[in-house]
Amino acid sequence: MAEERARSFAPLDGEVDRFLRTPLGAALREEGPEGDVAVSSRVRLARNLREFPFPTAMRPRDAQAVLTRVESALAAFPDAAQYVRIRMGEIPPFARGILVEKHLISPLLAENPAGAVIVRQDEAVSLMVNEEDHLRLQTFAAGLALQEAYREADHVDDLLAAHLDIAFDPRYGFLTACPTNVGTGMRASVMLHLPALALTRTLGQVVEAVQKVGLVVRGIYGEGTEAEGNLYQVSNQVTLGLSEGELLENLLGIARQVIEQERRARDVLLREDRVALEDRIYRSYGILTSARRISTREAMERISDVLLGVHLGLVQGIPSRALRELWVMIRPNFLQYTFGESLGPAERDERRAVLIRRHLKEAMARG
Amino acid sequence: MLCERCKKRPATVHITKVVGDQKVELHLCEECARELRELGELPPPFPEEFKPFVEGLQPFSSTFFPLPELLQSFFGSFGGKEGSPRERDDDLRCPKCGMTWREFREKGKFGCSECYEAFRPRLAPLFRRIHGASEHRGKSPARDPSSHLKKRLEELRAELRRKVEEEAYEEAARIRDEIRALENELGGRAG
């Protein structure tokens, strides 16, 4: 029984294993522009092949044919060797869970055995195959770097389109399974860390204002998830009627304003009651470095506090990268794979505390 | 202290910009700050007392309903209840995947790219409800494998012009070499 449980988190083979053990890919390791608030930028392009029914309505052999087409298109890429293919049906549920925890795939893809993801080694590009659309191309960049992320997506999109017959209509643009994605097929988003807006209780107003101008604000694990660790994703809602450049400009303009609001809220906190803010941050630091049991939810909040401390210059000696890594490492699947065994909830809370103490100690030793 | 930009008027606006892990302090006069804000290089000023900052924002679409409500408002409701009486659900069927307009209404998802052709007469109003528009204005698929090289070439040429204007000749030379290499790759004549 115990043996069986331990086996369920046994290491996978080389290439996939590396993705599952690295909390942040090379693309997201260093902070990017406006990195004190903007964690990362993502651009997703939805594309379909003209020839096959959409994934919601297709047969298994269609799914296989789509994957084969995409793979042969990819083989012609100048950097084809940089990409790793992972089929959902070939990896255990926890491995799919880790890919979701890292945002490389969506929960929907994880549930589809006929789905696959093709990831570039630096994790800046992830190509989901047979999700809601045949192709969901995602690019990631650190900080507020929407234009850079789009440039990469646009480039990979062109390479794919050169070898595939993409469903496109001159009037409606790129044809997608859901009418909410038609046109550009583009969903661009920025992940923002907004602890001060939350602390000053102004987040609600800001979120409302952002929604009023037609953008979407969500927690980081997608639709219907509440925000954990004060992390919010701001993205475009409309995909038709504006060009990619216009959509990106709109999002960028609003994201800059939210970032500025957050910075001002941080200044207000420092000015109005510095001791209260320091007390909060150092208590969280104390808990992360001393606790013997900690839930995911609490850990997310404490990490958020300490990261705020790092960005305000109140906490020295912890690189922000270590904290951003922890955000991924403490999640249930990643945690269990790290320890190589299946753990119950109470055990998870204990091991999570162990992992956080260990990771912070190592990070501080490296400086 | 004088404004860093015009070096004429007193600096009254002090802004901290973060680039990577560097904090850059900007000291500007009102006029320069306003100009930079208009150019989008600076975020707008903070409203007093955390007033919602919505006043300065321009909506760029006419519809901001969450999707389920939106589709419901368009279709009446999910579950295939009657829409408008003059709408016959079964008269439209996709010849390729067999999906009917009624099924599409129930699921909210198309079956294949051919559905767009089959349901064309009914789509424009739907898209206008969702996106506030019914015409695509963005990119088209490139059937030309070298198109990304051409795009890159355009970017590099613009960059070269900027560097020459800034008199950054070393970087300009590097970019010029990159442009030549790309032009060779494209098999075009150096322009």
Side-chain angles (χ1 to χ4, degrees):
Chain A
M1 179 72 194
E3 257 179 36
E4 225 171 276
R5 271 182 34 194
R7 255 210 312 276
S8 67
F9 279 86
L12 299 182
D13 66 353
E15 273 186 326
V16 180
D17 180 73
R18 210 177 46 83
F19 287 121
L20 302 183
R21 288 203 188 280
T22 326
L24 296 175
L28 297 180
R29 251 166 238 164
E30 302 308 321
E31 278 189 14
E34 322 296 337
D36 60 320
V37 181
V39 181
S40 60
S41 302
R42 183 188 65 141
V43 169
R44 185 216 74 196
L45 300 176
R47 302 289 186 252
N48 285 286
L49 306 189
R50 196 178 296 279
E51 186 184 338
F52 302 97
F54 295 150
T56 39
M58 73 188 186
R59 292 162 311 212
R61 72 160 183 268
D62 292 332
Q64 181 52 53
V66 169
L67 184 56
T68 307
R69 295 278 166 96
V70 175
E71 284 176 349
S72 60
L74 235 145
F77 280 27
D79 60 347
Q82 292 293 309
Y83 287 84
V84 178
R85 187 203 62 197
I86 306 169
R87 286 175 188 240
M88 294 302 113
E90 290 173 356
I91 57 172
F94 76 82
R96 302 199 287 269
I98 294 174
L99 295 175
V100 173
E101 289 168 355
K102 290 182 72 175
H103 299 285
L104 286 172
I105 66 169
S106 62
L108 184 72
L109 187 78
E111 287 163 22
N112 177 7
V117 65
I118 302 168
V119 188
R120 203 169 73 187
Q121 298 280 13
D122 63 357
E123 298 182 36
V125 182
S126 145
L127 187 60
M128 293 193 270
V129 184
N130 297 328
E131 207 244 18
E132 184 181 279
D133 295 295
H134 293 144
L135 285 173
R136 288 266 176 116
L137 164 62
Q138 300 189 98
T139 53
F140 301 89
L144 184 67
L146 284 163
Q147 306 286 11
E148 292 74 5
Y150 177 70
R151 246 201 307 274
E152 186 76 69
D154 185 36
H155 173 63
V156 176
D157 183 40
D158 287 349
L159 288 174
L160 287 167
H163 299 275
L164 299 167
D165 186 12
I166 299 291
F168 180 85
D169 178 274
R171 178 170 178 187
Y172 297 140
F174 290 95
L175 305 179
T176 53
C178 188
T180 53
N181 295 317
V182 74
T184 56
M186 183 180 83
R187 189 87 52 216
S189 65
V190 186
M191 195 196 292
L192 300 172
H193 181 224
L194 306 173
L197 286 175
L199 281 170
T200 54
R201 306 197 189 286
T202 45
L203 189 63
Q205 292 176 358
V206 171
V207 167
E208 212 173 294
V210 170
Q211 286 169 336
K212 275 211 180 92
V213 294
L215 293 175
V216 183
V217 184
R218 300 186 315 197
I220 51 165
Y221 285 96
E223 268 164 274
T225 59
E226 51 178 305
E228 285 183 357
N230 300 310
L231 289 167
Y232 292 84
Q233 202 172 280
V234 182
S235 58
N236 61 305
Q237 175 165 320
V238 168
T239 57
L240 179 71
L242 294 168
S243 71
E244 291 81 1
E246 289 167 327
L247 290 167
L248 289 167
E249 276 305 312
N250 284 332
L251 177 58
L252 201 56
I254 304 292
R256 283 217 173 92
Q257 297 190 59
V258 176
I259 289 167
E260 191 53 26
Q261 301 285 319
E262 167 67 20
R263 284 184 191 147
R264 283 168 195 267
R266 291 178 188 185
D267 288 343
V268 168
L269 287 170
L270 277 172
R271 216 173 37 232
E272 310 248 305
D273 200 346
R274 190 186 174 100
V275 176
L277 181 65
E278 287 183 345
D279 183 62
R280 181 188 171 98
I281 289 168
Y282 293 126
R283 279 172 182 275
S284 289
Y285 174 85
I287 286 170
L288 288 181
T289 48
S290 318
R292 293 304 191 258
R293 211 177 250 167
I294 192 164
S295 68
T296 304
R297 173 174 286 278
E298 187 187 358
M300 291 293 289
E301 293 304 315
R302 304 292 175 194
I303 293 164
S304 167
D305 284 345
V306 176
L307 186 60
L308 174 63
V310 169
H311 285 136
L312 291 174
L314 299 172
V315 174
Q316 309 289 332
I318 300 181
S320 91
R321 175 180 160 184
L323 294 159
R324 287 180 292 111
E325 283 174 334
L326 278 178
W327 262 327
V328 177
M329 294 168 82
I330 60 169
R331 307 221 69 95
N333 291 297
F334 198 101
L335 182 80
Q336 293 176 94
Y337 194 57
T338 302
F339 288 101
E341 56 184 311
S342 165
L343 305 162
E347 287 174 304
R348 280 211 293 273
D349 288 357
E350 279 173 45
R351 296 293 181 95
R352 186 173 296 113
V354 169
L355 180 127
I356 293 170
R357 294 203 311 273
R358 198 170 66 193
H359 192 65
L360 289 179
K361 206 185 223 159
E362 284 168 10
M364 286 189 262
R366 278 198 308 269
Chain B
M1 179 178 214
L2 283 179
C3 169
E4 291 173 354
R5 191 160 169 266
C6 64
K7 314 250 191 311
K8 288 179 205 150
R9 293 175 288 261
T12 52
V13 182
H14 308 282
I15 294 166
T16 311
K17 265 187 99 158
V18 177
V19 184
D21 54 359
Q22 300 270 315
K23 279 197 176 173
V24 185
E25 297 275 342
L26 289 172
H27 307 283
L28 304 164
C29 63
E30 286 291 350
E31 283 84 347
C32 286
R34 193 175 322 121
E35 208 172 316
L36 286 177
R37 281 184 187 121
E38 276 167 11
L39 289 169
E41 289 180 34
L42 283 182
F46 187 59
E48 286 144 36
E49 302 301 310
F50 282 122
K51 258 202 334 243
F53 65 120
V54 67
E55 291 113 50
L57 302 185
Q58 286 303 311
F60 45 84
S61 161
S62 54
T63 47
F64 313 116
F65 299 111
L67 181 76
E69 288 172 38
L70 222 147
L71 283 177
Q72 274 191 25
S73 71
F74 184 76
F75 287 138
S77 84
F78 285 129
K81 272 202 201 137
E82 284 310 306
S84 70
R86 63 196 160 75
E87 203 175 89
R88 294 274 311 284
D89 280 340
D90 36 12
D91 58 353
L92 292 183
R93 175 186 285 275
C94 172
K96 187 170 175 180
C97 70
M99 180 172 273
T100 59
W101 177 248
R102 174 193 283 272
E103 275 177 72
F104 168 66
R105 278 185 31 174
E106 285 168 9
K107 287 188 182 148
K109 302 259 162 61
F110 294 104
C112 71
S113 51
E114 201 62 39
C115 292
Y116 281 83
E117 200 51 59
F119 306 149
R120 192 171 284 271
R122 305 234 173 108
L123 291 181
L126 170 67
F127 292 163
R128 273 197 292 274
R129 290 291 282 273
I130 299 175
H131 299 284
S134 62
E135 303 264 344
H136 175 55
R137 286 232 324 262
K139 82 179 273 194
S140 319
R143 299 290 305 162
D144 170 6
S146 65
S147 65
H148 67 277
L149 293 180
K150 289 173 185 160
K151 259 186 220 166
R152 179 80 190 123
L153 205 50
E154 283 309 304
E155 281 169 20
L156 284 169
R157 284 179 179 144
E159 213 174 315
L160 180 63
R161 280 194 294 276
R162 272 201 303 277
K163 294 295 174 202
V164 171
E165 276 166 25
E166 292 167 12
E167 299 183 3
Y169 295 119
E170 259 179 54
E171 283 174 66
R174 189 181 51 75
I175 293 166
R176 187 201 55 216
D177 294 346
E178 204 177 328
I179 289 174
R180 287 211 178 129
L182 263 182
E183 283 170 339
N184 288 337
E185 199 174 335
L186 279 162
R189 285 184 306 279

